[in-house]
Amino acid sequence: MADIDGFTDLLDYPMYVVTTVADGERSGCLVGFASQCSLDPLRFAVWLSKANHTYPLAERASFLAVHLLGRHQGDLAALFGGETGDQIDKFAEVRWSPGPGDVPVLADALAWFVGRIEQRMEWGDHVGFLLSPVESDAVAPASTGLPLRLSDVRDVTPGHPPDGASGGQTPAACRRFDSAEQVWSVYGGYAPCTPRKDYAVPAQRKNIFVIGLDEANLPTLESVPESDTYRFHPLLSIGELQEGEVSVADLMGRAREILDAHEGSIDAIVGYWDFPVSTLVPMLGREYGTRTTSLESVVKCEHKYWSRLEQQKVIDEYPAFGRVDLHSEDPQPPDGVNFPMWLKPALAYSSELAYGVSDMAEFRTAVDKIREGIDRVGRPFNSVLELLELPPEMAGVGGTVCLAEEAMTGIQVAVEGYVCDGEVTVYGVLDSINYPGSPCFLRHQYPSTLPPPVIQKLHEVSERTMRQIGMESATFSIEYFYDPKTGDVSLLEINPRHSQSHAELFDYVDGAPNHHRMISLALGNDPALASRQGPYRMAAKWYYRWFGEGTVHQVPTPDELAAIEREIPGVRIDVVPAEGRSSPPCPSRTATATRSPTSSPGRTTRRDCEPSSTSASRPWASLLTKPLRAAVTSTRPDENPEQEGARHRYAARRQASP
């Protein structure tokens, strides 16, 4: 007989629960060998293993009921596939009602039909039952999710014991077979297994859909632990998600088209960008039965005003804040919020339309700018708010609201963590160091060098805050300011996702990118990971910037960059500008935000430069390095780019490893 393992290993059958009754005795089992086999007359075939408890009853029965389960109904699959009717009454554990011929019909199935047995035929170790449907129903709308498939139940151990063996769960060691045919006989009809030689069940890759999957993050996604068991699929492009004023309804429609066209399981839907990605994850997760946090918990982070309202219920580490009435003829700062302060929309991409102001003149200029652009993100967000039951304090607030906050000072730090089974876990704290005399980032470094008592306080504040937010099965990143003079910490903002920009830093130090936690949580796996298992004790991401106007006349060649990376192990350089690119004129502090736009997602951080900067700054390169002191040499702001040439500015010097 020909070996067809290579063929069957690629199959991912839908799984069914088949039930029947004979002489007053009920039985049911999980089945993979089943298919419609005729249109006229309508016929459906089911093949049952001779070893199943259900088979002898089906031989005496007149009807079989065939049920489709959803991907979220693994408990039902485990009951009918991992337990045996020889020992327990499976129907005592589920809701059911008698159908035609008193056959038990499961109340919670996505869809079902009862068929009259027209013919039986023995085909090897399985017997085929030809069914003529007599009654059917779809008890849940299609939006409930996709049907359960073989790859969803690969961890279910067949419940019926081998012939002559004692009852109970078949031990995990029995998941070994002589051939692919035997593997599929077990998973097709859930026959018992007998351990013989070391032939393992072929692992089905988990299909993970990444909203906004980009080239920069794909390598780090593919380097997470167990990545060989994952298959990453792009779901919507960065352009679709961030260009112009997005429509959440249109994005959902396009995403559904992609997911519905996918032939196979949909095991996880994830994303590491802000709105609209952050909100699409739970919205799609609810429809397709994937594991996510609630939409409300995401909105409580993304809507900066609502987020502050939640923070003030459980912590004191936040600045004075309030709403600014953009519809007033003479907008005023909120009571109790003093200059200097920040004005920003409650919703925005990155730090768009955020302004640092120090007096009323700057305040009014910033208000005018925010009025002009607030609808681009705020208006689409209103459609998300409409899906939630808002608390009284959020009634009438909407997405186009402006927030004022007193300015915070000190060292900026980021706290990364996750929530799993209600427990908040912080797995890393990073420092963000500015250029001297500038609010623009010089580098991010991990792990933080702040004193242990400060780190502990950041942990405690983050844990209280995220419990209040109500997040579950998701990652987060909270930004703070720490003032070394006073010892105070102040929460800047909560991001309902981890920072993709820090992925490689965690990989260098902890031995795995922080994407690992996102994926594990989405798949229902343990996200815990031992820290400090990477090759380096510290890692940093540096931004080499040009302050002021200028035109790029020369950039390092790929060979030059490769030579630096070979010379200093652990260093990687990403060059942002291209020859001929001009840096824009120095903007006014109050007229234009000067946070540097990212040239491509994953290359620079979302908060590259604070808007209160009085000079233009553009990241000319980001450099990822293992030792903190291994860096690109700095360029003085007064250097002439035409005289120096870019290649000198990217010369790196070797430093001793820590």
Side-chain angles (χ1 to χ4, degrees):
M1 181 181 294
D3 185 341
I4 62 168
D5 290 359
F7 180 89
T8 56
D9 287 356
L10 299 176
L11 301 179
D12 195 15
Y13 296 142
M15 302 300 291
Y16 308 84
V17 170
V18 174
T19 60
T20 192
V21 62
D23 302 325
E25 183 180 359
R26 295 179 297 272
S27 188
C29 61
L30 192 62
V31 169
F33 289 166
S35 175
Q36 183 175 342
C37 54
S38 174
L39 293 174
D40 187 14
L42 183 59
R43 293 291 185 266
F44 197 93
V46 173
W47 289 266
L48 299 180
S49 167
K50 295 178 183 179
N52 273 335
H53 177 270
T54 307
Y55 167 69
L57 268 69
E59 280 286 277
R60 309 195 308 269
S62 300
F63 296 90
L64 297 181
V66 182
H67 305 78
L68 274 174
L69 302 184
R71 294 189 58 251
H72 60 289
Q73 294 179 298
D75 53 345
L76 273 179
L79 175 64
F80 282 92
E83 302 287 351
T84 172
D86 291 324
Q87 294 189 342
I88 70 167
D89 180 4
K90 300 179 184 179
F91 297 93
E93 309 293 329
V94 298
R95 298 190 305 135
W96 66 277
S97 60
D102 288 333
V103 66
V105 174
L106 304 182
D108 295 321
L110 289 184
W112 59 267
F113 78 87
V114 174
R116 178 181 290 106
I117 300 174
E118 301 289 350
Q119 186 177 352
R120 296 174 176 86
M121 181 172 292
E122 184 173 331
W123 289 357
D125 55 8
H126 283 62
V127 173
F129 293 78
L130 184 65
L131 305 179
S132 173
V134 296
E135 186 175 332
S136 67
D137 192 14
V139 299
S143 62
T144 300
L146 296 179
L148 189 80
R149 305 188 78 86
L150 174 63
S151 58
D152 299 315
V153 297
R154 61 178 180 174
D155 294 329
V156 176
T157 303
H160 199 285
D163 293 339
S166 60
Q169 287 268 356
T170 304
C174 286
R175 290 167 60 86
R176 301 287 173 183
F177 304 91
D178 289 321
S179 66
E181 286 83 357
Q182 193 177 15
V183 172
W184 286 95
S185 74
V186 170
Y187 278 80
Y190 268 76
C193 58
T194 302
R196 294 187 182 174
K197 67 178 184 179
D198 195 32
Y199 188 93
V201 175
Q204 295 287 331
R205 286 196 173 193
K206 294 291 187 181
N207 292 302
I208 301 173
F209 285 81
V210 184
I211 305 178
L213 178 61
D214 58 302
E215 266 185 45
N217 278 286
L218 185 57
T220 49
L221 285 168
E222 292 177 337
S223 67
V224 301
E226 301 183 5
S227 60
D228 59 333
T229 66
Y230 306 147
R231 182 174 288 111
F232 296 103
H233 303 269
L235 184 59
L236 305 177
S237 68
I238 294 295
E240 290 176 290
L241 294 161
Q242 294 183 355
E243 291 179 1
E245 182 176 323
V246 301
S247 165
V248 175
D250 288 349
L251 291 174
M252 286 289 290
R254 277 176 258 164
R256 290 188 191 103
E257 290 177 3
I258 296 170
L259 294 170
D260 291 344
H262 173 68
E263 295 184 0
S265 62
I266 299 174
D267 300 290
I269 300 173
V270 299
Y272 37 72
W273 305 112
D274 294 324
F275 176 79
V277 173
S278 60
T279 53
L280 291 174
V281 170
M283 292 169 70
L284 290 168
R286 182 176 180 180
E287 291 192 14
Y288 289 89
T290 57
R291 186 182 176 95
T292 74
T293 189
S294 67
L295 177 62
E296 179 176 307
S297 67
V298 170
V299 174
K300 284 181 180 178
C301 299
E302 288 284 14
H303 195 292
K304 303 312 176 189
Y305 180 67
W306 193 358
S307 185
R308 289 298 192 201
L309 295 178
E310 294 298 313
Q311 294 164 33
Q312 70 178 1
K313 296 176 183 178
V314 292
I315 65 172
D316 298 320
E317 292 81 2
Y318 60 89
F321 71 95
R323 291 161 55 190
V324 176
D325 185 0
L326 296 180
H327 302 291
S328 170
E329 293 183 2
D330 184 24
Q332 296 293 316
D335 293 340
V337 181
N338 301 312
F339 292 111
M341 68 179 66
W342 282 86
L343 293 187
K344 56 186 177 182
L347 286 308
Y349 293 135
S350 186
S351 301
E352 186 178 279
L353 296 177
Y355 300 94
V357 298
S358 57
D359 55 38
M360 281 303 299
E362 293 180 352
F363 177 90
R364 293 190 178 96
T365 302
V367 165
D368 289 342
K369 292 291 183 181
I370 293 171
R371 279 172 169 166
E372 292 175 7
I374 195 170
D375 283 346
R376 189 168 87 88
V377 179
R379 189 159 48 196
F381 202 84
N382 281 330
S383 64
V384 176
L385 292 173
E386 291 171 358
L387 301 175
L388 302 174
E389 186 174 340
L390 300 175
E393 61 266 29
M394 282 295 294
V397 174
T400 54
V401 60
C402 179
L403 185 64
E405 298 179 343
E406 283 191 7
M408 293 168 276
T409 59
I411 300 169
Q412 193 168 333
V413 296
V415 173
E416 295 220 0
Y418 60 84
V419 186
C420 182
D421 295 331
E423 182 177 346
V424 181
T425 299
V426 172
Y427 59 78
V429 180
L430 305 91
D431 297 332
S432 297
I433 311 301
N434 293 342
Y435 272 87
S438 167
C440 295
F441 283 153
L442 169 64
R443 68 178 183 270
H444 304 290
Q445 60 189 41
Y446 175 68
S448 172
T449 58
L450 294 179
V454 178
I455 299 293
Q456 181 60 34
K457 186 172 186 179
L458 291 169
H459 279 234
E460 294 171 356
V461 174
S462 299
E463 290 165 8
R464 292 201 304 272
T465 302
M466 296 315 297
R467 280 195 293 268
Q468 177 64 29
I469 292 295
M471 181 172 281
E472 174 57 48
S473 302
T475 57
F476 62 83
S477 177
I478 307 180
E479 298 175 54
Y480 292 89
F481 276 97
Y482 164 64
D483 190 338
K485 296 178 182 178
T486 64
D488 294 334
V489 299
S490 190
L491 195 154
L492 176 59
E493 66 180 26
I494 309 170
N495 302 296
R497 43 82 187 153
H498 64 288
S499 175
Q500 52 79 30
S501 182
H502 300 155
E504 290 164 301
L505 301 182
F506 283 99
D507 194 16
Y508 276 13
V509 177
D510 290 342
N514 53 3
H515 293 316
H516 162 74
R517 274 95 174 182
M518 171 189 70
I519 295 168
S520 296
L521 289 164
L523 293 175
N525 299 330
D526 185 358
L529 192 70
S531 62
R532 312 301 186 263
Q533 301 299 304
Y536 307 117
R537 290 189 300 182
M538 176 169 281
K541 187 171 185 178
W542 301 68
Y543 300 98
Y544 184 61
R545 303 177 184 277
W546 177 262
F547 289 84
E549 296 183 58
T551 300
V552 179
H553 291 280
Q554 183 180 2
V555 297
T557 66
D559 288 343
E560 289 173 324
L561 296 178
I564 296 173
E565 293 174 353
R566 285 194 303 270
E567 182 183 358
I568 312 175
V571 168
R572 184 177 63 77
I573 302 174
D574 288 335
V575 178
V576 175
E579 287 191 26
R581 172 178 167 179
S582 297
S583 176
C586 174
S588 164
R589 178 171 63 181
T590 58
T592 307
T594 62
R595 282 180 184 158
S596 304
T598 56
S599 64
S600 62
R603 300 261 175 130
T604 57
T605 67
R606 63 185 299 277
R607 190 176 294 276
D608 289 316
C609 182
E610 295 295 339
S612 59
S613 172
T614 56
S615 63
S617 169
R618 297 294 179 267
W620 286 53
S622 63
L623 181 145
L624 189 67
T625 175
K626 57 154 188 176
L628 185 58
R629 295 183 301 277
V632 293
T633 54
S634 296
T635 305
R636 298 192 309 274
D638 58 348
E639 285 182 333
N640 186 328
E642 293 186 63
Q643 295 175 347
E644 285 295 318
R647 65 185 178 89
H648 297 295
R649 301 189 198 100
Y650 293 99
R653 58 180 182 275
R654 183 188 297 274
Q655 297 288 348
S657 299

